[in-house]
Amino acid sequence: MSKILVVDDENSIRKTFEAFLTREGYDVVTAENVDSAMKKIEENEPDLIITDIIMSRITGIELLKMIKDKKPDIPIIVMTGEPTVDTATQAVKSGATDYITKPVSKDMLIKTVNYAIEHKKLKDNKKRLEEENKAYRENLERLVKARTLALQNAMQATISTIASVVELRDPYTAGHERKVGNLAAAIAEKMNLSKAQIECLYVTGYLHDIGKMSVPAEILAKPGKLTEVEFAVIKTHVAFGYDILKKVKLPWPIEDVVYQHHERINGSGYPQGLTGSEMKIESKIMAVADVIEAMSSHRPYRPGLGLDVALEEIENNSGILYDEQVAAAALDLFRNDKYEFSEEVKEIELHL
């Protein structure tokens, strides 16, 4: 039941309006002056206020302004026995919903009140829907954040687990995947690549040798020089890695980078003999990072050659085997920024 407050200093008008509106199903309260009206508004906020303009001490216009300051959403109908254009204009400017003149007929009163109440209901419903929609969006955002964080943590754990499995398969290169991933990402940052590309290189670094799980352990751990046949078997790891990763739905082209990380810009790499224009920039970076870390570290078939030798390889073959910009960024990273290999597992964001 909608509640209506009638404010008028004439008792007969208050009683008449109360009778008319009560018979229409409204809950009506009355006030004889502004002070009484403000008190009743505070005690039980009405859905509609009908007030006379001309009252003793404080006018209906002043009441209108006071109400709009404290309760701007309550619709107000003003009435007067001395209608003028100026009075009507002042009432509307002060925030009146409607304006009626005395003597007020029952039909006009009921029609004006019904319209104001329906308009108020529409506004209230609109406001409620907006608030519900806002709450829904905020809750949805929280759920998405929570779900994204859960997926991110699961993805991080999965990537770290796979990298650990690869290391168990090839213990002589323990830490290689993490070092390559961190170095590749650092080179990408040096080249001002996008956040997504940097994250792609972190993840690809950790997984780039996953295809070695298909290579016999005796070949991976062989202490001497590999035969041509054994090296051919080693080469298959990029294709196996591609086949594994292409089935995993991740927001980066990891499988392509893994497939290309042994390619060289002059076409001398494997497995496809791609040239620089055919390679992804992430693959060119991964190739350089992989070579630097591999040459610097010990392998079953040779001792570590050292960082200086690895950097000379990149410098001497810049523009031949390795992309010039990538090579320059890598060399600057080590020689000027004093970069050091890191096995730290980075937090990777999942972009949905």
Side-chain angles (χ1 to χ4, degrees):
M1 181 184 296
S2 298
K3 178 169 286 191
I4 299 174
L5 171 63
V6 178
V7 186
D8 199 296
D9 55 5
E10 292 186 37
N11 184 55
S12 61
I13 291 179
R14 295 198 304 273
K15 291 297 183 181
T16 300
F17 279 27
E18 182 178 11
F20 286 164
L21 295 172
T22 299
R23 283 197 290 269
E24 291 296 318
Y26 293 113
D27 181 11
V28 182
V29 293
T30 64
E32 68 278 7
N33 55 47
V34 170
D35 291 337
S36 175
M38 292 305 296
K39 182 178 180 182
K40 290 185 178 181
I41 290 170
E42 289 297 330
E43 289 175 351
N44 195 350
E45 185 175 312
D47 298 295
L48 173 67
I49 298 171
I50 304 172
T51 180
D52 193 9
I53 286 182
I54 300 174
M55 293 187 291
S56 60
R57 203 164 64 83
I58 301 176
T59 69
I61 293 295
E62 290 174 294
L63 172 62
L64 180 60
K65 292 177 180 177
M66 292 167 64
I67 296 170
K68 287 301 177 183
D69 284 341
K70 293 188 174 182
K71 305 287 184 179
D73 292 333
I74 301 178
I76 303 172
I77 297 173
V78 296
M79 58 184 175
T80 182
E82 300 177 7
T84 65
V85 173
D86 288 342
T87 303
T89 301
Q90 187 179 8
V92 172
K93 284 184 176 180
S94 299
T97 302
D98 212 336
Y99 179 89
I100 55 178
T101 59
K102 294 179 179 180
V104 182
S105 69
K106 177 183 177 181
D107 289 343
M108 177 56 71
L109 175 65
I110 300 303
K111 179 180 179 181
T112 305
V113 167
N114 286 343
Y115 174 80
I117 289 293
E118 287 303 313
H119 189 259
K120 172 74 161 49
K121 287 179 179 178
L122 288 173
K123 287 183 67 176
D124 289 347
N125 283 336
K126 180 175 180 290
K127 184 177 180 180
R128 177 181 57 80
L129 289 172
E130 288 174 347
E131 289 174 351
E132 289 178 356
N133 189 42
K134 180 182 178 183
Y136 173 79
R137 289 198 309 270
E138 290 174 350
N139 186 54
L140 183 61
E141 287 174 3
R142 286 193 294 269
L143 290 173
V144 169
K145 286 180 181 178
R147 180 59 176 160
T148 300
L149 181 60
L151 288 172
Q152 191 169 301
N153 291 338
M155 180 186 68
Q156 186 81 45
T158 300
I159 291 168
S160 296
T161 300
I162 293 173
S164 298
V165 170
V166 174
E167 288 183 357
L168 288 173
R169 180 72 172 151
D170 187 10
Y172 295 98
T173 60
H176 170 71
E177 282 75 18
R178 292 189 295 275
K179 290 177 184 177
V180 170
N182 293 339
L183 173 55
I187 294 172
E189 287 185 37
K190 190 77 175 176
M191 295 176 65
N192 295 316
L193 297 191
S194 70
K195 188 174 183 179
Q197 289 174 301
I198 293 169
E199 291 170 353
C200 173
L201 286 162
Y202 275 133
V203 178
T204 306
Y206 298 158
L207 302 178
H208 74 282
D209 278 341
I210 189 173
K212 285 186 177 179
M213 295 175 67
S214 67
V215 178
E218 57 269 23
I219 294 179
L220 293 176
K222 184 178 178 179
K225 185 177 180 180
L226 297 175
T227 66
E228 286 188 17
V229 173
E230 289 168 336
F231 187 53
V233 173
I234 287 283
K235 285 182 177 181
T236 63
H237 80 279
V238 290
F240 277 106
Y242 174 82
D243 288 339
I244 293 171
L245 294 171
K246 71 179 181 181
K247 300 171 186 175
V248 181
K249 301 300 181 183
L250 290 172
W252 311 283
I254 293 175
E255 66 277 11
D256 293 329
V257 181
V258 166
Y259 199 41
Q260 296 178 7
H261 79 278
H262 278 291
E263 301 286 359
R264 299 294 180 256
I265 65 170
N266 65 354
S268 64
Y270 66 87
Q272 295 176 290
L274 301 180
T275 59
S277 62
E278 299 170 302
M279 294 173 64
K280 290 182 174 295
I281 184 62
E282 294 90 344
S283 304
K284 296 174 183 178
I285 293 172
M286 188 59 59
V288 169
D290 189 38
V291 167
I292 293 175
E293 200 290 322
M295 290 185 67
S296 302
S297 305
H298 293 288
R299 290 293 182 266
Y301 49 85
R302 60 150 176 82
L305 302 176
L307 180 60
D308 290 339
V309 173
L311 296 181
E312 285 178 12
E313 160 66 17
I314 300 301
E315 186 172 41
N316 293 338
N317 286 290
S318 174
I320 303 171
L321 301 179
Y322 315 110
D323 181 88
E324 290 183 355
Q325 288 184 312
V326 175
L331 294 170
D332 188 43
L333 199 63
F334 280 99
R335 291 174 175 172
N336 296 322
D337 297 345
K338 308 303 179 185
Y339 179 87
E340 294 183 357
F341 288 112
S342 170
E343 293 185 42
E344 179 187 359
V345 176
K346 304 290 184 178
E347 289 296 326
I348 302 164
E349 294 186 16
L350 179 61
H351 297 290
L352 298 177

